[in-house]
Amino acid sequence: MSTLEKRKATNLPRYAKIRQMNRGSYDRALANEILDAGLVAHCGFIHENKPMVIPMAYARIGDKLYIHGASTTRIIKDNANGVPASLTVTLIDGIVVARSAFHHSMNYRCAIVHGTAHLVEDHDKQIEALAAITDHILPGRWDECRAMMAKEHKATGVLVMDMEHVSTKVRTGGPVDDTEDLGTDLWAGVVPVTTALGQPFDAYDVPEGTPVPESIPAARRKFA
Amino acid sequence: MSTLEKRKATNLPRYAKIRQMNRGSYDRALANEILDAGLVAHCGFIHENKPMVIPMAYARIGDKLYIHGASTTRIIKDNANGVPASLTVTLIDGIVVARSAFHHSMNYRCAIVHGTAHLVEDHDKQIEALAAITDHILPGRWDECRAMMAKEHKATGVLVMDMEHVSTKVRTGGPVDDTEDLGTDLWAGVVPVTTALGQPFDAYDVPEGTPVPESIPAARRKFA
C-alpha cells in the first residue's frame, strides 16, 4: 500500500494552514491561562551563587503564586526572606518537523514569572494557599480530605511570590521552511504531544466499594 | 450501579502494594535514563542576579549536556564563557491522592544537573551536538533532513555543560497515609499522568503522497 493510500485509509489529518505564531508577550491573561493549566512549575532560585531549578506543585491566586514544602527544605529556607525567585510553567503541544534540521521546533506555551519570595506567616493565608495548591491539581480535592492537623500545618512552609515580571512565549502552527526546500519530496508536519490523566488506581488498602471522589477527573469522566 | 459494581464492570485496577519510594540519589545511570527520556529541559542560569529558568531542547553525549539557540539570544551569550548553569528534566508519572491533603504528592522522576556552560567552538563538535539534539527528540531525524547550510550553522550557538554534579529524585507507588486515616471511608489512590506523541499531521504544503519518514514515531507505529 502506498503512503498516499495509507494516508487516505487512515484519514491521517493534514496540518491546517493556520497562522504560525512564535512570539513572546507580556500578556497577563495569557500568562494566567498557562499558569492555571500547568501541572508542575520549575522554580528558580539562587543558592551559593548557583542557579537551582526544582519542580514544584504550585497555585495562583490573583497576581500571587504559592508553593509549599517541608519547613526544613532548602527551597523554603533559602527563599523565606525576600530573595529573587522565578517560576516557569511549560506546556508542550507538539514536535514541529521541518524539511531542514534548522527549522525544527516545538509547539509550546510557556509562562515565566519573576518576583520576590516570602514566607507566608498568617495562618489563614497559609491554609488558603495550601487549599489552592491542592485544588490546582484536582479542583475540589481540598474539601474532600479530612481537615489538616496542627502538626501537619507546622511541618509545612508556604512561600508567596508576587508576580512582578511576567512574560509568555508561545509557538503554534506548522513548520516554516525555506522556500528553496518546498517542492522537494521531503515530508514536514507536526507530531502532537499530549499530557493526559489516566484511569485512577485504587491504593491497595482501600476497602472494596469505597466511592471514588468527585475531584478525580478520570473517574468522573468514566462514570458520569 | 454501586461504585463496587462500577469498578468490577470496568475492571478499574487497584494500585499494587509496591514498595513506595521517595528518595534522592546521585545514581548516574538513573540520571542518564531520566535525561534521555525527557522531551525538554528547564535550564537555569543567573542573569543580573536573577534566577532564569528557560525550557530548552537538549541532548546528552556521555557526561556532557548540549543545548542550542540563536547565537544572539541571552541564554547563549550569558553562558558562553563559563558561568554556573543547571539543567533539570522532570517526568511526571502520577498524582498521588491520599486521605489527608498533607500526604498528597506526585509520582515523578527528576534529574538535576549542575555544571559550567561553555560555547562549543569546534565545527565538528557543533554538528555532532546539533545532530544529537535533533535525534534526542526524534531518533534518526538528523540524517533524514537536508544537510545544514553554512549560514544556518553560523546563526546557531551551541553550549556544552559538563555534568559536574548530578542528583535524582524519584517518587513511585501509592499514597502513604497516617495509620489513623486508614479504615475510614475515604478513597485514596493514584491518577496516572502520561505524556504521549499523537498521530502526526502533514504540513499544509506537503504534496499528496509524500512518504512520512521513519523517524516519526506515531506514523511508524501506525503503519509498521
Side-chain angles (χ1 to χ4, degrees), chain A residues 14-15 42 192 195 198 202 206, chain B residues 14-15 42 90 192 195 198 202 206:
Chain A
R14 322 201 95 223
Y15 211 68
H42 281 81
T195 297
D202 284 11
V206 165
Chain B
R14 320 201 95 221
Y15 211 69
H42 281 82
T90 307
T195 297
D202 284 11
V206 166

Side-chain angles (χ1 to χ4, degrees), chain A residues 27-41 43 56-68 87 89 111-113 125 127-137 139 158-168:
Chain A
D27 181 337
R28 277 289 178 118
L30 175 60
N32 289 347
E33 202 180 293
I34 295 167
L35 292 167
D36 294 349
L39 209 48
V40 299
C43 295
M56 303 285 285
Y58 69 101
R60 182 183 69 84
I61 303 177
D63 56 1
K64 294 178 197 303
L65 292 169
Y66 294 87
I67 61 173
H68 73 318
L87 187 149
V89 170
I112 299 179
V113 182
K125 287 244 182 304
I127 293 287
E128 190 193 6
L130 293 171
I133 293 168
T134 303
D135 286 349
H136 173 84
I137 294 176
V158 179
L159 295 177
V160 59
M161 188 173 91
D162 283 312
M163 294 168 62
E164 288 161 19
H165 184 271
V166 178
S167 62
T168 64

Side-chain angles (χ1 to χ4, degrees), chain A residues 36-100:
Chain A
D36 294 349
L39 209 48
V40 299
H42 281 81
C43 295
F45 63 109
I46 300 172
H47 179 79
E48 293 175 358
N49 292 318
K50 289 189 163 61
M52 313 300 291
V53 179
I54 312 277
M56 303 285 285
Y58 69 101
R60 182 183 69 84
I61 303 177
D63 56 1
K64 294 178 197 303
L65 292 169
Y66 294 87
I67 61 173
H68 73 318
S71 311
T72 52
T73 49
R74 182 190 288 172
I75 194 165
I76 300 298
K77 289 196 291 188
D78 272 17
N79 292 284
N81 296 310
V83 292
S86 71
L87 187 149
T88 296
V89 170
T90 307
L91 311 170
I92 305 293
D93 296 320
I95 301 167
V96 181
V97 182
R99 279 87 169 175
S100 59

Side-chain angles (χ1 to χ4, degrees), chain A residues 4 7 12 14-15 42 51 53 86 88 90 98 104 141 146 181 187-188 190 192 194-196 198 201-203 206 208, chain B residues 4 7 14-15 42 51 53 86 88 90 98 104 141 146 181 187-188 190 192 194-196 198-199 201-203 206 208:
Chain A
L4 178 57
R7 184 180 288 125
L12 182 67
R14 322 201 95 223
Y15 211 68
H42 281 81
V53 179
S86 71
T88 296
T90 307
H104 277 59
R141 181 66 194 140
R146 68 136 172 82
D181 290 331
W187 184 82
V190 174
T194 308
T195 297
F201 288 73
D202 284 11
V206 165
E208 287 278 342
Chain B
L4 177 56
R7 183 180 289 125
R14 320 201 95 221
Y15 211 69
H42 281 82
V53 179
S86 71
T88 297
T90 307
H104 276 60
R141 181 68 194 139
R146 68 137 169 83
D181 290 331
W187 184 81
V190 174
T194 308
T195 297
Q199 184 73 10
F201 288 72
D202 284 11
V206 166
E208 287 279 339

